[in-house]
Amino acid sequence: MSDAHSEQDWRAWFAEHGARLRLVARQWTRCEADADDVVQEAFVRFWKHQRHLPGNPNALVITSIRRAALDLLRRSDRRTVRERAVAADADVAEWFEPEADPRLQALANSLPSLSAEQREVVVLKIWGDLTFDQIGEQLEISPNTAASRWRYAMDALRKLITARTYE
Amino acid sequence: MNESDSELENALASLRPRPPGPALVQGIARELDAPSSRRGVIIAWTSGLSALAAAGAAVFLMLASARSPQGPSYELVRAEQSPAAMQLLSPVQLQDGSYARPVRVHWENTTRWEDPRTHARLINYRPNEHFALLPLETY
């Protein structure tokens, strides 16, 4: 079996893309620690079994992340409701580096306020670098639904930013 | 503040997600630096067998070419290799919890030799069978 990326330095690849992959993983996990576990498991699984496949590895890694996240959610369904609530609240504001521009900071603060469905489309499009077709495949929805969620998310973000800017 | 979708998209793209922590980076580096993956082990294993087979063939050729005044002196007339027959077996679960599908590949190498002096013929029939595990994605 030939390796389509035999010359690829995967450590450098992860150093370049790790931050956005972790943000993607964060959309499907309950806390930062879970996101770290999912990214590590998914990336290593990709590296062991799929790195030889041709094409852009980005979509494959994201698919691997989603599957690892769903596996983790199934495994950890026995966690208590209290644990989930604490984990969800604790680190929601730490997804991005601080921004000097108040408008950008308002935007960063607003993103977690979107509904989960809208937010995952935004994150997959911007930081997952996926098209609406690819997002549809990932989330098992139609591309039109993905595009529709994107438009609603943009409207919601505009309102949230305006509210936060004048707070 | 009333931005268009593209302006908002550009603003979103300019946000910088926090980088992975050192534990994650070290964990991935550890995995990537591991001496060999299971796939690597399989490849190394089959490569070892191939090398062993090549060494055996070399010894055979050396013995065949070592001429003795009284003995026959065989020369290679023809070499054939049959198409490989692949047999996919039922998936099995490995010790680490992952799944793999055993694969058995069978083919035959046949060489025909002839002593030009006596026209004595020798057929060396050599069946080959390799066994490997193909890792399976189980989602």
Side-chain angles (χ1 to χ4, degrees):
Chain A
M1 197 184 292
S2 64
D3 188 340
H5 300 285
S6 56
E7 302 300 317
Q8 179 74 55
D9 179 349
W10 289 105
R11 200 184 290 206
W13 191 92
F14 185 79
E16 184 182 349
H17 301 285
R20 64 180 186 81
L21 292 176
R22 191 161 166 281
L23 181 64
V24 170
R26 187 63 187 84
Q27 305 312 305
W28 299 315
T29 49
R30 292 169 180 152
C31 62
E32 298 289 317
D34 281 0
D36 282 353
D37 290 347
V38 160
V39 169
Q40 177 166 344
E41 182 185 336
F43 183 75
V44 169
R45 197 184 287 179
F46 161 81
W47 181 79
K48 282 183 176 172
H49 303 313
Q50 297 181 317
R51 71 174 189 268
H52 57 276
L53 297 177
N56 186 344
N58 182 59
L60 285 173
V61 175
I62 290 177
T63 301
S64 189
I65 286 174
R66 180 164 169 79
R67 287 171 176 170
L70 293 178
D71 285 347
L72 180 66
L73 283 175
R74 283 189 208 108
R75 285 199 303 267
S76 57
D77 266 350
R78 283 167 290 181
R79 283 185 186 177
T80 64
V81 175
R82 179 178 162 278
E83 278 177 323
R84 292 178 195 174
V86 170
D89 288 344
D91 49 21
V92 80
E94 297 173 0
W95 293 359
F96 299 100
E97 298 281 18
E99 293 291 345
D101 183 339
R103 291 191 316 159
L104 286 179
Q105 189 59 54
L107 187 58
N109 293 341
S110 300
L111 191 66
S113 303
L114 292 177
S115 72
E117 286 185 341
Q118 292 173 6
R119 199 177 59 225
E120 65 184 353
V121 169
V122 172
V123 169
L124 285 174
K125 187 167 192 307
I126 301 289
W127 292 281
D129 201 22
L130 300 183
T131 63
F132 286 130
D133 283 345
Q134 291 171 317
I135 293 171
E137 286 174 19
Q138 288 286 339
L139 303 179
E140 297 173 356
I141 57 177
S142 75
N144 285 339
T145 303
S148 170
R149 287 182 187 174
W150 166 264
R151 284 193 300 275
Y152 281 119
M154 293 299 104
D155 289 342
L157 278 176
R158 265 188 219 97
K159 289 175 188 164
L160 285 166
I161 294 167
T162 305
R164 286 176 191 271
T165 306
Y166 290 107
E167 272 176 0
Chain B
M1 185 171 177
N2 190 14
E3 295 168 304
S4 69
D5 280 6
S6 62
E7 286 171 332
L8 205 47
E9 187 173 342
N10 289 337
L12 282 167
S14 69
L15 295 177
R16 297 160 298 148
R18 285 187 183 274
L24 175 57
V25 173
Q26 286 165 11
I28 285 181
R30 237 186 347 264
E31 294 279 359
L32 266 55
D33 288 342
S36 60
S37 63
R38 189 169 65 242
R39 178 168 167 258
V41 170
I42 292 168
I43 289 170
W45 182 71
T46 51
S47 300
L49 280 181
S50 301
L52 198 64
V59 169
F60 177 81
L61 288 175
M62 274 180 59
L63 291 175
S65 62
R67 297 180 178 188
S68 126
Q70 290 84 22
S73 171
Y74 288 105
E75 289 179 0
L76 181 65
V77 176
R78 195 171 173 187
E80 295 171 324
Q81 185 174 55
S82 72
M86 184 179 292
Q87 187 181 8
L88 288 169
L89 305 174
S90 300
V92 295
Q93 188 169 21
L94 304 181
Q95 282 185 337
D96 65 357
S98 66
Y99 287 84
R101 183 185 284 279
V103 180
R104 185 184 293 143
V105 184
H106 179 89
W107 76 96
E108 292 152 6
N109 288 336
T110 307
T111 49
R112 295 168 195 274
W113 306 78
E114 186 174 307
D115 181 355
R117 187 165 49 86
T118 61
H119 296 290
R121 290 182 178 176
L122 172 71
I123 296 177
N124 180 30
Y125 169 76
R126 202 153 38 116
N128 290 276
E129 190 165 271
H130 278 201
F131 183 79
L133 292 170
L134 296 179
L136 283 179
E137 290 293 307
T138 53
Y139 296 118

